[in-house]
Amino acid sequence: MKVTMITGDGIGKEISQSVMDIIDASGANLTWDIVHAGEAVYEETGSLIPDKVFTSLEQNKVALKAPMTTPIGKGFHSVNVALRKKYDLYANIRPIQSIGTMETLFKQLDLVLFRENTEDLYAGMEEKVTDDEMRSIKIITRDASERIIRRAFEYAQENHRSSVTVVTKANIMKLSDGLFLDIAREIANEFPTIEFKEILVDNMAMQLVIDPYQFDVVVTENLYGDILSDEMAGLIGGLGLVPGANVGDDMAIFEAVHGSAPDIAGKNLANPTAIILGGCMMLDYLGKTKESHNIRYALDIVLSQPENFTHDLKGTASTSQFTQAVIKQVQQLN
Ligand code: NAD
């Protein structure tokens, strides 16, 4: 089975190698079609996403993607956003599940965030009115809202989850967020066995740090989802631990939630757990559930031994030491 691997920028190369080595060790028997995109490729070739990347994605339909750098406040637009829009990967699914025994704010947390992935303030509709006035337009449509909200409810039903919480700011953005909320209320009626909750985004941000256990499946718009998923990652130990999937009707790109971490790039310090868990989501999607189960189990063991903790988890293990520890566990489970 052939999949695309996009290596990315910053810590991307280090963590891409780590996840490929671990999946290979699991016996999943994948063939990696390795392609490069992002800032480094742009500087070298003038192309942010070379044609090879599109060809590979269109052939394989399944990819694992390392993080890429997007310049802040200037320069080119995000590769991630471009791929999500081009292939209509409308559902961004981020499971926030406690793993290992490191010191964290909360234990045994199990949340799943569904983030709309194609519109909102990420629609790229910005305009300069004058030098002193800029506008960003927020787009919320019925079609895009319906499909992400329905997907969250279907997931909740299929996975025996208790509730779906919709997060908006509909008290202020009465039209755009009001539409998203109205649609959530309509769809909730189709799923009478799932408890439906609604909450404003500012309150959600606070409730998450006070009592995150009151939430289960959460569905929201693009920008709120981006911010809240980083906050949720912080509750279980940080960005190094949370994966994500960008799923459309016939293509899926799996990734880590975190960015390219330029501050630690090339230093063998990155925690590869998030992209490894992204790899596990990809294996599940491909029906290779035995291999994904073994890798998750191995990760849980490795993250319960302080000598394997990377610097973000207040440890001293390098990316390669961590990777070797996971491979050793995976091989024992084969
Ligand atoms: P970031 O996620 O790269 O880093 C935030 C902090 O978390 C940094 O201190 C970093 O060292 C740490 N960190 C992140 N991942 C880690 C890991 N695996 N192991 C250990 N520590 C880790 O966020 P940022 O600094 O705001 O963004 C850097 C660049 O990444 C920007 O160009 C941004 O646009 C891009 N970005 C890309 C993606 C993506 O490709 N999916 C997502 C978010 C940000």
Side-chain angles (χ1 to χ4, degrees):
M1 208 175 268
K2 200 169 178 183
V3 300
T4 301
M5 175 82 227
I6 309 176
T7 56
D9 296 310
I11 58 171
K13 286 195 180 59
E14 299 152 73
I15 63 174
S16 301
Q17 196 55 54
S18 167
V19 64
M20 287 191 286
D21 290 348
I22 290 165
I23 291 180
D24 289 348
S26 77
N29 207 13
L30 299 184
T31 303
W32 300 100
D33 190 5
I34 301 174
V35 290
H36 311 286
E39 186 189 48
V41 177
Y42 180 73
E43 280 166 7
E44 216 175 285
T45 66
S47 169
L48 203 51
I49 315 178
D51 285 346
K52 260 193 209 165
V53 177
F54 294 123
T55 309
S56 177
L57 285 171
E58 283 159 27
Q59 274 169 0
N60 302 321
K61 305 278 186 201
V62 177
L64 191 55
K65 183 185 72 56
M68 291 171 207
T69 299
T70 310
I72 294 174
K74 57 179 169 53
F76 55 78
H77 289 290
S78 162
V79 176
N80 305 303
V81 175
L83 291 176
R84 290 168 192 170
K85 279 210 244 164
K86 179 172 171 71
Y87 295 114
D88 202 21
L89 305 173
Y90 61 88
N92 191 311
I93 307 167
R94 298 181 161 181
I96 291 91
Q97 280 148 359
S98 297
I99 188 167
T101 59
M102 54 282 177
E103 211 177 293
T104 55
L105 288 172
F106 295 95
K107 300 277 172 214
Q108 292 183 321
L109 197 58
D110 182 4
L111 301 169
V112 185
L113 181 91
F114 282 73
R115 164 187 172 194
E116 201 291 318
N117 223 7
T118 59
E119 54 182 28
D120 190 1
L121 284 160
Y122 286 64
M125 296 178 72
E126 293 200 292
E127 63 177 8
K128 177 173 167 177
V129 182
T130 67
D131 278 349
D132 298 316
E133 185 179 344
M134 310 295 164
R135 289 185 187 164
S136 299
I137 299 173
K138 171 165 174 156
I139 308 286
I140 299 291
T141 65
R142 173 168 287 277
D143 282 353
S145 305
E146 249 177 32
R147 59 187 182 174
I148 187 69
I149 295 166
R150 189 175 300 285
R151 199 152 185 148
F153 274 96
E154 284 169 354
Y155 174 90
Q157 192 162 57
E158 280 158 23
N159 292 279
H160 311 290
R161 311 289 296 219
S162 62
S163 69
V164 173
T165 302
V166 61
V167 184
T168 66
K169 188 75 182 168
N171 56 331
I172 302 298
M173 278 157 280
K174 293 180 194 292
L175 294 181
S176 53
D177 285 24
L179 177 63
F180 196 85
L181 179 57
D182 281 348
I183 293 168
R185 287 172 177 163
E186 284 164 29
I187 292 176
N189 287 329
E190 297 171 28
F191 295 85
T193 58
I194 311 280
E195 187 189 354
F196 173 59
K197 303 180 189 182
E198 41 185 81
I199 188 166
L200 299 177
V201 65
D202 40 351
N203 188 19
M204 180 71 179
M206 182 195 66
Q207 294 295 336
L208 276 173
V209 292
I210 290 181
D211 176 17
Y213 301 105
Q214 63 186 296
F215 303 110
D216 189 351
V217 175
V218 176
V219 61
T220 190
E221 295 164 10
N222 206 338
L223 180 62
Y224 307 145
D226 192 11
I227 297 167
L228 291 175
S229 59
D230 271 30
E231 184 185 357
M232 289 174 177
L235 305 178
I236 62 157
L239 279 174
L241 301 169
V242 177
N246 301 285
V247 186
D249 287 332
D250 73 340
M251 189 187 287
I253 302 183
F254 299 85
E255 63 183 357
V257 163
H258 62 72
S260 57
D263 51 338
I264 55 166
K267 295 182 180 163
N268 203 15
L269 286 177
N271 179 355
T273 303
I275 199 161
I276 299 168
L277 288 170
C280 289
M281 291 178 86
M282 180 179 77
L283 291 173
D284 286 339
Y285 182 87
L286 295 170
K288 293 187 175 280
T289 49
K290 177 178 158 272
E291 291 82 356
S292 67
H293 174 270
N294 284 353
I295 296 173
R296 284 194 183 96
Y297 192 76
L299 273 175
D300 199 33
I301 295 172
V302 167
L303 286 166
S304 301
Q305 298 165 341
E307 68 270 24
N308 297 319
F309 293 177
T310 42
H311 95 293
D312 55 313
L313 305 176
K314 303 191 174 66
T316 54
S318 66
T319 312
S320 29
Q321 283 165 337
F322 184 94
T323 305
Q324 286 313 313
V326 180
I327 289 175
K328 202 169 145 204
Q329 289 298 333
V330 166
Q331 283 169 340
Q332 283 173 18
L333 293 166
N334 280 347

